[in-house]
Amino acid sequence: MNVPDSDYYDFDKDWIEKSFGKNQVWVAYDDEDGMPHYYALIHNVISKRPFKMQISWLNSKSNAEIGPLNWVGSGFTKTTGDFRIGRYEIFKNLNSFSHKVKWTKGRRGVVQFFPKKGDDWALYKNWSAEWNELTPNEVLQKMI
């Protein structure tokens, strides 16, 4: 995946093998638009040379804990809230990841993260509660 250099954060300093560790949650880039949309929980770093770790992708089928609108059901990517831990897999490509996020363990093993003061999060420009699965990508991908 070709990821453009960021103007607001030096991600290269985080893209080294020793930065990845057990029980961390990292944000991964989406192949479709090159933005960080997916989350992975690192269970174990198996080796650093060659780089190999055991991860689970974090999944969510709802955004009920955030609000009444069914954003996930309308095709939007969920970026905060409650996530379930998926199946284990071996992953070898460390530059698929953007950055770590702070997380907490919720009820029934749920992984939770919400923006906190001092964190970097992308926000939609001119966000509207009227957006749905028919909203054009040109509108959705305007970030501030």
Side-chain angles (χ1 to χ4, degrees):
M1 170 188 330
N2 183 15
V3 180
D5 285 337
S6 168
D7 293 333
Y8 58 91
Y9 185 80
D10 180 10
F11 293 103
D12 290 339
K13 70 181 172 123
D14 294 333
W15 286 340
I16 54 176
E17 291 84 351
K18 70 179 184 177
S19 297
F20 291 82
K22 185 176 183 174
N23 292 323
Q24 294 177 342
V25 172
W26 280 75
V27 186
Y29 291 107
D30 183 342
D31 285 333
E32 189 173 310
D33 65 5
M35 296 297 292
H37 292 299
Y38 301 112
Y39 298 91
L41 173 65
I42 299 174
H43 297 285
N44 189 25
V45 176
I46 298 166
S47 67
K48 295 190 180 189
R49 302 255 181 211
F51 187 73
K52 190 187 313 184
M53 61 185 171
Q54 183 182 42
I55 69 165
S56 290
W57 294 108
L58 302 179
N59 308 300
S60 185
K61 294 183 175 153
S62 133
N63 56 278
E65 76 280 5
I66 299 170
L69 296 175
N70 186 7
W71 294 106
V72 174
S74 294
F76 290 95
T77 304
K78 182 175 175 179
T79 58
T80 187
D82 295 346
F83 290 79
R84 303 254 175 235
I85 300 170
R87 289 181 284 182
Y88 289 134
E89 72 177 69
I90 302 299
F91 203 81
K92 300 176 182 178
N93 190 1
L94 70 102
N95 68 352
S96 294
F97 295 99
S98 169
H99 59 283
K100 285 187 282 192
V101 293
K102 297 172 189 156
W103 65 281
T104 57
K105 189 173 186 178
R107 294 173 36 152
R108 298 183 187 154
V110 168
V111 172
Q112 298 176 317
F113 37 91
F114 297 94
K116 293 180 178 59
K117 185 176 181 176
D119 291 347
D120 291 321
W121 287 75
L123 302 174
Y124 290 110
K125 186 174 186 174
N126 300 320
W127 178 85
S128 170
E130 304 299 316
W131 288 0
N132 60 32
E133 67 274 9
L134 302 175
T135 304
N137 280 340
E138 300 80 49
V139 173
L140 299 176
Q141 293 176 355
K142 289 185 180 177
M143 305 274 180
I144 57 171

